[in-house]
Structure formats: structure tokens, C-alpha cells
Amino acid sequence: MPETQRALFLDWGGTLACTQDNRTVVDASGNPVLMPNVAETLARERAAFDLCFIVSNQARVAAGEITAAEVLRRFAWANERLGRPFSDWRLCPHTDADGCACRKPRPGMFLELAALHAIDLAASTHVGNADKDREAAAAAGVGAFVWAHDFFGWA
């Protein structure tokens, strides 16, 4: 394993998965509906990085609207559906009021994954769809932030 590795960090809702009213849109089988061009873009861009991670705020877990196990099942389903591009993932089950270190815009999920996987954060990239994603990447020292609409080529 290299001394440090470059990672691609991806937000979940509104970046990888379609959302409506802050909820992941699911199909008739209960699986997430992916955003346009996700499969094609990841197939093309994933090879430029050593590792790839999902980092996602999931306040609905704290609200009792969904279980962490169901969120993780959806991440795992997407990983299989997309040909296993993801090396690992993290979710923050807290609300803003909890003041935890892992909830974006705080950098906790990035820092945990970086420590666990020897990630060179300055050489890594985060793709997201909200200011809190951009702020979390900056707080963690992630070298580049790309808006999801630019990364995936949405009009």
C-alpha cells in the first residue's frame, strides 16, 4: 500500500442519490434512485483515485425516520449497482443541534476515513451539492471541491 493515497469523497443526497424533501427517492423495491450520469461518470473518473468514499449527513436517523442500517443498506446497494467503486462510507446520524464532529460542515467523517486509510487529504477531491459539503472539505484540508452538477455534467 502506498504511504498516502488520493481519495474521491462523494456526498450522498442530491449528489449520488435523488432526493425530495431531504429524503432519498427510492424505487418500488426500496432502492435509491441514482442521479443522472452517476454510473458513467464514476466508471470514467474512479480510476484517477486510489480510494472512493461516501460521506453523508443523515439527520433523519436521529429523528427516527430511518435506521442507520437502512441507510447503510442503500449505500451497499449503490456500491453493488455501480460496480463497487466505493472503498468505504460514513454517515453522520446526528442533527445540527447535537454539535458532533462528524456532521458536515465539520470535517469528522473525512478525518476518520483519512486516518483509517492513509489518505492524503490535500491531494484528494470532494464532490457535493451544498455549501456544507464545500465547507467540510475545506475544514478537513481536502485539496479540491467540485460541485456535483459540474462533476456529473448536469445542465
Side-chain angles (χ1 to χ4, degrees):
M1 180 167 79
E3 191 170 308
T4 59
Q5 303 182 91
R6 293 181 65 232
L8 176 63
F9 294 92
L10 295 148
D11 177 52
W12 176 253
T15 298
L16 292 171
C18 295
T19 58
Q20 184 173 13
D21 300 323
N22 288 325
R23 299 173 192 274
T24 299
V25 176
V26 296
D27 63 18
S29 299
N31 294 317
V33 174
L34 299 175
M35 294 292 284
N37 304 329
V38 165
E40 301 87 341
T41 303
L42 283 180
R44 182 180 65 246
E45 299 294 331
R46 172 64 178 85
F49 298 89
D50 300 304
L51 299 168
C52 183
F53 305 110
I54 298 171
V55 287
S56 178
N57 285 349
Q58 293 288 326
R60 292 181 55 228
V61 172
E65 297 174 17
I66 192 169
T67 65
E70 174 58 16
V71 174
L72 295 173
R73 185 201 69 78
R74 291 174 181 184
F75 291 175
W77 176 89
N79 196 37
E80 290 300 317
R81 168 75 174 77
L82 294 168
R84 297 184 179 186
F86 306 115
S87 311
D88 204 348
W89 42 75
R90 289 294 181 274
L91 68 88
C92 170
H94 307 108
T95 66
D96 288 338
D98 293 328
C100 70
C102 60
R103 186 163 179 80
K104 293 182 277 180
R106 292 192 175 103
M109 290 185 282
F110 296 89
L111 298 176
E112 179 183 347
L113 288 163
L116 186 63
H117 296 281
I119 302 303
D120 179 350
L121 288 167
S124 297
T125 298
H126 179 41
V127 177
N129 69 321
D131 283 336
K132 65 186 170 203
D133 297 320
R134 183 181 46 77
E135 293 165 12
V142 174
F145 176 80
V146 181
W147 291 103
H149 59 80
D150 293 330
F151 189 77
F152 292 110
W154 305 327

